[in-house]
Amino acid sequence: MANEIWTIKRCLEWTKEYLAERGEEHPRLSAEWLLCAATGLARIDLYMRMDETLNAAQLETMHAAVVRRAKGEPLQYITGSTQFRMIDVACAPGVLIPRPETEMLVEEVLNYLDAEVLSPEAAARQRVELPWNDEVEEARKAEAALADERATAERRAANLTAADEAALGGDVLGSRAYAEELADREAEEAAAQAAEAEAAEAAEPELDEYGIAIEGAGQETASAQDAAAPAPAEPRIARVLEVGCGTGCISLSLAWERRGHVTCTATDIEPRAIDLATKNRDALGLTADEVAFSLTNLVSSIPHDEWGTFDVLVSNPPYIPTGVMRSLPHEVKDFEPDLALEGGADGLDIFRRLLNAAPYMLRAGGLFACELYEGALDAAAELCRQAGLSDVRIVHDLTDRPRIVRAIVTEPKQRI
């Protein structure tokens, strides 16, 4: 095989057929993921370079990857990474693979922070309403439309459907979300530049009839305005506590998408998870002050002087009921860690402990949010009500299954 000529096209077709014969549900998409990892190319680039020949190292990497996938090992473990919202996340055996449902958990937390904790200026998706925003908005729409066209072209080239992508853990293209985020940032930059220009124009000196600047003109007005203006309030920094961080995808996304406005403390009982999450943090260029990881059982390592100071307690805890564990897909139950999956008889063992901790960890009005097993959400919501939490809600996932419970701590507790 090594002496033969293997082009990208030939390798793609051979891998697709090989995996299909072994029961792979989405053989072409899997073949593309593996080829991208082996060659370092983006999926769209595979179709632009179909006649290129793979070298010996790429063939060896591809062969080992195909063997692992044929045995049912998750693609994310084989390729070593996955996409989660706006960031790339390294994955490794022994640590739970991020799911699309968890992206929605992040969205719930961001919505709460934007509405209840952060100022509008801190929310990346909220722009100041200024006269030039119409032009910026048109540019944003054009960028998003271009992203849609590109994503459509990619799917057509690969002969994929949206269902194919969802089956592998979310939108692996990610172009629309990236385009919208990029356009939003451009909108903020345009607003800032326009504000600076307006300030510079206002600062121009007053001239006399001969065009000579009048000394002191405008200074009294500016001084009066400065004296009348209240001192700007210190920006509010939101504090998030995550329990069971795994790859770190939740805390890292929160800190990344609201950088400078959110800090996270994240815990996990698995050393491999802490090591991997730290690696992911470093790859993003985030600091330990922005996201701090701690190896501990639930909230045991949280200093007592930090109790009651968090705005959010968020978790994707082990939540699969024991009786359901046996029916999980082969690539989940045989490759992903039971410690991160099994949640006891009703799937709520860890949830109950988190619910007990929430009033001690959160300030008044703080958010408690958990991703849970679809059959346990009603029971979880009732437990929240019995514990005295308010505004208890159940959030459905993209397939309209109940997936997230969120509630507000109205009466924090203090350690005696």
Side-chain angles (χ1 to χ4, degrees), residues 185-198:
R185 291 180 183 176
E186 291 174 347
E188 293 175 353
E189 292 173 3
Q193 291 172 1
E196 289 176 5
E198 184 178 342

Side-chain angles (χ1 to χ4, degrees), residues 113-190:
L113 292 177
D114 290 347
E116 304 295 336
V117 181
L118 302 177
S119 64
E121 292 76 14
R125 290 167 300 174
Q126 298 183 18
R127 297 186 296 282
V128 181
E129 292 301 326
L130 296 171
W132 53 84
N133 266 1
D134 288 341
E135 296 180 9
V136 175
E137 179 64 15
E138 289 301 317
R140 189 196 71 80
K141 290 180 179 179
E143 185 74 16
L146 180 61
D148 276 343
E149 292 177 5
R150 183 174 184 271
T152 300
E154 288 178 344
R155 290 191 182 99
R156 287 176 178 171
N159 193 26
L160 298 176
T161 66
D164 289 333
E165 293 174 6
L168 281 172
D171 184 5
V172 293
L173 300 176
S175 54
R176 179 180 178 86
Y178 173 77
E180 290 183 348
E181 179 75 5
L182 179 62
D184 286 344
R185 291 180 183 176
E186 291 174 347
E188 293 175 353
E189 292 173 3

